[in-house]
């Protein structure tokens, strides 16, 4: 028990020593108001104007995420090819790919994929 307490004490002392050395070694910087203010998404927070946001860009991003997730869902079908029957595997794979193609056609026919309108 005493050995464990001494190890914990030594670990704590070593950690404190390392933190103290890091504090002494690191570069001291002058706190600047502009540098310490948050800067998000390329917009300066000092100005309070709202910039217009393209909703079409948002739709393209959502479509990309949906198709990306669908591709991730297709990947395990290659591993299940060994354990399932070939006919059942082909029916499942083709039906899933058909659903993906139908979704792509729907988005294409509604003009969601066109960047310029």
């Amino acid at each position: 028990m005493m050995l464990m307490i001494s190890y914990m004490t030594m670990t704590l002392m070593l950690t404190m020593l390392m933190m103290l050395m890091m504090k002494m070694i690191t570069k001291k910087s002058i706190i600047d108001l502009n540098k310490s203010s948050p800067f998000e998404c390329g917009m300066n927070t000092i100005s309070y104007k709202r910039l217009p946001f393209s909703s079409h860009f948002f739709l393209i991003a959502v479509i990309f995420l949906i198709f990306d997730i669908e591709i991730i869902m297709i990947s395990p079908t290659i591993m299940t090819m060994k354990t399932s029957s070939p006919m059942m595997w082909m029916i499942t794979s083709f039906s899933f790919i058909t659903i993906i193609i139908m979704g792509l056609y729907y988005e294409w026919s509604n003009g969601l994929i066109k960047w310029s309108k």
Side-chain angles (χ1 to χ4, degrees), residues 54-75:
S54 172
S55 61
H56 192 70
F57 175 76
F58 178 74
L59 286 174
I60 294 288
V62 168
I63 290 169
F64 171 76
L65 286 176
I66 289 171
F67 280 108
D68 195 33
I69 290 171
E70 288 171 350
I71 295 297
I72 290 171
M73 290 174 65
I74 287 176
S75 331

Side-chain angles (χ1 to χ4, degrees), residues 1-59:
M1 183 68 171
M2 212 46 187
L3 186 62
M4 191 165 103
I5 292 173
S6 64
Y7 281 149
M8 291 174 78
T9 307
M10 288 175 65
T11 305
L12 182 65
M13 296 289 268
L14 185 61
T15 306
M16 293 297 235
L17 179 68
M18 289 174 68
M19 288 174 61
L20 182 67
M21 288 182 67
M22 280 179 28
K23 188 73 171 168
M24 291 184 340
I25 293 174
T26 57
K27 178 182 163 187
K28 305 282 188 223
S29 63
I30 299 170
I31 297 174
D32 188 15
L33 183 62
N34 287 333
K35 287 184 181 178
S36 64
S37 66
F39 185 76
E40 298 177 0
C41 302
M43 292 181 273
N44 198 349
T45 56
I46 294 173
S47 65
Y48 294 105
K49 295 183 283 186
R50 290 197 57 118
L51 297 174
F53 181 73
S54 172
S55 61
H56 192 70
F57 175 76
F58 178 74
L59 286 174

